């Protein structure tokens, strides 16, 4: 079985090709700058000999051209991993917003396409681009079953007290204004890995998962199901992020409009692109901010204190919701790579049974890395996320069910 996973963005397509029951990664790549100057495909082949990288520069005016180039690379003599595009059995598409329609992975039909399009106002930067990838893949990989895996699906198990905002009912009932949550595929993937490490079925574990990447969110997982998460109606609230503010008092927006005469567009930019670590420390990359803090930059220290304070605050909140917690999981770029952020995020949580081992915390996670002290009641795990593998596995399971 060959499963191609596609993450189609507005000007890029990321892809990975998995082969066989063991989900062996055989090719991966990125079509970038679609519709722009300097468009190209960065293609990587994986085999026993290691990695081989190929760069193809070409005008790529649209997604159709981009994905056709990928199909050509996958079948090109000398590079071929398949003989013909028809050998792709299934394409698993990452779709950001599934609204209340999709709590599970689905085979894509006209109804699903209609729903993804209808949900575009809820994710205007993502759903139209995801849909474009689906429409193009249907034309190129004509023998493949097309499957949609939604970022929001895992959080559809939130109870109403967690997903409703205290706003007039009409806004939920007629306009769908509620918490949806995001990064669901990642939270689910690391939850399954954590359950396996704990040697328990997923349905028997309580977890707090922290996906700390450029975008960041946490989830409270009770008996394997998401019961609360820090992102909301959009991916803006919750934790402090690279350039996003996370939680703020919504009345700040009125103040900015009325007193600073900012337009809605400018406020949108401010909260999504100019805030977070960038707004406080002048840099959105945690590596750089840590480096600057070590050289005595007070703003960098403040930014990191704010960043980790908020993680601790949500750990406490989620402990209160969950009662017993089996494990706290760190994942994504920051969570997997920054011992400093992990240590600061656990500081002072000893009374809650969360005790980090400083030496273990310095190691690099290849697989599941336990970093808690022996006497810690809650396991603390670093787990590299793999959203594409999760999409491939869900695609496979829908095909074989
Ligand atoms: P992601 O969105 O999961 O790809 O994460 C990207 C972010 O991970 C970058 O913006 C960095 O802030 C962060 N990151 C990557 N490597 C490190 C590292 N060694 N230490 C701290 N942060 C890192």
């Amino acid at each position: 079985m060959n499963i191609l996973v596609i993450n189609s963005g507005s000007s890029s397509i990321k892809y990975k090709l998995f082969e066989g029951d063991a989900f062996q990664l055989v090719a991966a790549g990125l079509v970038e700058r679609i519709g722009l100057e300097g468009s190209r495909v960065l293609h990587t082949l994986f085999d026993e000999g290691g990695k081989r990288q190929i760069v193809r520069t070409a005008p790529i005016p649209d997604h159709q051209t981009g994905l056709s180039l990928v199909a050509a690379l996958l079948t090109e003599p000398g590079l071929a991993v398949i003989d013909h595009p028809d050998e792709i059995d299934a394409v698993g598409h990452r779709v950001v917003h599934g609204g209340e329609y999709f709590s599970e992975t689905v085979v894509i039909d006209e109804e699903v396409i209609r729903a993804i399009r209808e949900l575009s106002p809820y994710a205007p930067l993502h759903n139209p681009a995801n849909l474009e990838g689906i429409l193009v893949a249907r034309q190129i990989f004509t023998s493949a079953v097309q499957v949609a895996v939604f970022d929001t699906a895992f959080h559809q198990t939130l109870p109403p007290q967690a997903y409703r905002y205290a706003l007039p009912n009409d806004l939920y009932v007629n306009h769908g204004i509620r918490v949806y949550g995001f990064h669901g595929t990642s939270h689910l993937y690391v939850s399954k890995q954590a359950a396996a490490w704990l040697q328990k079925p997923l349905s028997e574990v309580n977890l707090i998962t922290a996906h700390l990447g450029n975008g960041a969110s946490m989830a409270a997982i009770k008996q394997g199901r998401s019961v609360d998460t820090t992102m909301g109606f959009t991916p803006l609230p919750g934790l402090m992020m690279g350039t996003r503010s996370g939680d703020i008092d919504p009345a700040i927006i009125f103040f900015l409009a009325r007193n600073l005469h900012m337009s809605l567009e400018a406020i949108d930019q401010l909260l999504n692109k100019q805030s977070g670590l960038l707004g406080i420390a002048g840099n959105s990359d945690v590596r750089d901010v840590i480096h600057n803090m070590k050289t005595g930059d007070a703003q960098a220290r403040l930014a990191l204190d704010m960043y980790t304070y908020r993680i601790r605050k949500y750990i406490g909140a989620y402990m209160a919701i969950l009662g017993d917690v089996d494990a706290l999981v760190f994942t994504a770029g920051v969570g997997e790579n920054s011992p400093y952020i992990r240590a600061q995020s656990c500081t002072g949580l000893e009374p809650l049974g969360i005790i980090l081992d400083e030496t273990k915390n310095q190691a690099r996670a290849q697989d599941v890395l336990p970093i808690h002290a022996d006497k810690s009641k809650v396991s603390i795990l670093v787990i590299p996320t793999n959203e594409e593998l999760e999409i491939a596995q869900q695609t496979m399971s829908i095909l074989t069910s």
Side-chain angles (χ1 to χ4, degrees):
M1 184 94 75
N2 292 313
I3 298 180
L4 183 66
V5 173
I6 289 182
N7 181 355
S8 174
S10 57
S11 64
S12 70
I13 304 171
K14 286 190 201 138
Y15 60 92
K16 279 191 180 173
L17 178 59
F18 296 92
E19 194 183 85
D21 292 346
F23 296 94
Q24 172 119 27
L25 179 64
V26 289
L30 169 69
V31 185
E32 61 177 11
R33 301 186 60 78
I34 297 171
L36 302 167
E37 283 285 307
S39 49
R40 58 185 191 162
V41 186
L42 308 171
H43 187 69
T44 307
L45 290 172
F46 301 88
D47 56 29
E48 298 85 46
K51 276 192 201 178
R52 206 165 128 203
Q53 270 173 327
I54 296 114
V55 181
R56 284 286 153 82
T57 307
I60 308 177
D62 50 33
H63 288 66
Q64 172 88 34
T65 313
L67 204 55
S68 299
L69 278 171
V70 174
L73 277 162
L74 294 174
T75 53
E76 185 174 306
L79 304 177
V81 287
I82 50 172
D83 292 327
H84 191 277
D86 284 353
E87 288 177 23
I88 299 292
D89 299 292
V91 183
H93 295 268
R94 177 191 183 212
V95 181
V96 164
H97 218 303
E100 289 190 329
Y101 293 129
F102 303 107
S103 54
E104 306 239 318
T105 291
V106 291
V107 172
I108 297 171
D109 59 13
E110 295 312 313
E111 194 72 9
V112 172
I113 288 181
R114 222 184 350 265
I116 295 171
R117 189 174 284 126
E118 190 190 309
L119 290 164
S120 288
Y122 295 90
L125 298 179
H126 294 105
N127 269 34
N130 301 155
L131 190 53
E132 186 62 25
I134 292 169
L135 298 176
V136 166
R138 289 214 300 186
Q139 290 174 28
I140 295 172
F141 301 103
T142 47
S143 305
V145 179
Q146 309 285 330
V147 170
V149 180
F150 298 92
D151 262 18
T152 50
F154 182 53
H155 301 300
Q156 276 296 299
T157 47
L158 261 60
Q161 68 266 28
Y163 75 68
R164 287 293 300 271
Y165 290 113
L167 294 169
N169 284 313
D170 165 63
L171 293 178
Y172 168 63
V173 175
N174 295 316
H175 301 281
I177 296 180
R178 54 160 283 176
V179 170
Y180 290 103
F182 298 88
H183 294 143
T185 309
S186 176
H187 287 292
L188 174 57
Y189 177 79
V190 297
S191 298
K192 288 178 180 170
Q193 297 288 109
W197 186 87
L198 291 159
Q199 299 186 322
K200 285 185 175 180
L202 180 61
S203 60
E204 286 177 21
V205 293
N206 288 357
L207 305 166
I208 298 173
T209 51
H211 175 109
L212 309 177
N214 212 0
S217 68
M218 288 171 61
I221 314 240
K222 195 176 181 85
Q223 296 170 340
R225 292 152 69 92
S226 176
V227 291
D228 205 352
T229 189
T230 57
M231 285 180 168
F233 180 62
T234 71
L236 183 56
L239 301 177
M240 181 170 166
M241 307 181 214
T243 64
R244 282 175 244 168
S245 63
D247 293 331
I248 60 162
D249 177 347
I252 293 170
I253 295 169
F254 314 134
F255 185 91
L256 296 174
R258 290 188 190 121
N259 297 62
L260 275 66
H261 309 293
M262 288 178 71
S263 66
L264 281 178
E265 278 308 308
I267 297 172
D268 190 329
Q269 274 290 108
L270 178 91
L271 298 180
N272 278 294
K273 302 272 184 221
Q274 296 157 7
S275 297
L277 293 170
L278 180 66
I280 302 293
N283 197 314
S284 65
D285 192 307
V286 170
R287 278 166 296 200
D288 297 335
V289 182
I290 291 175
H291 172 81
N292 293 344
M293 182 236 355
K294 287 181 178 159
T295 63
D297 181 335
Q299 285 305 117
R301 174 166 292 283
L302 171 63
L304 294 167
D305 286 349
M306 291 168 65
Y307 186 97
T308 51
Y309 171 79
R310 206 169 282 183
I311 295 170
R312 289 200 301 278
K313 201 158 90 167
Y314 274 112
I315 292 173
Y318 288 172
M319 300 258 335
I321 289 169
L322 294 171
D324 275 343
V325 174
D326 296 285
L328 166 65
V329 179
F330 288 100
T331 191
V334 181
E336 291 165 29
N337 295 303
S338 180
Y340 176 82
I341 294 290
R342 294 194 297 256
Q344 292 299 310
S345 299
C346 294
T347 299
L349 301 185
E350 293 79 6
L352 298 180
I354 296 177
I355 308 171
L356 195 84
D357 180 306
E358 253 317 319
T359 310
K360 291 181 189 162
N361 185 38
Q362 297 303 320
R364 270 198 76 80
Q366 306 293 345
D367 200 356
V368 178
L369 172 71
I371 57 168
H372 49 274
D374 292 344
K375 60 181 179 207
S376 183
K377 186 166 164 289
V378 176
S379 299
I380 310 174
L381 306 175
V382 182
I383 304 181
T385 194
N386 195 338
E387 288 162 281
E388 294 84 5
L389 179 59
E390 179 62 33
I391 292 173
Q393 288 174 341
Q394 289 194 26
T395 300
M396 170 83 98
S397 72
I398 205 167
L399 291 187
T400 50
S401 63

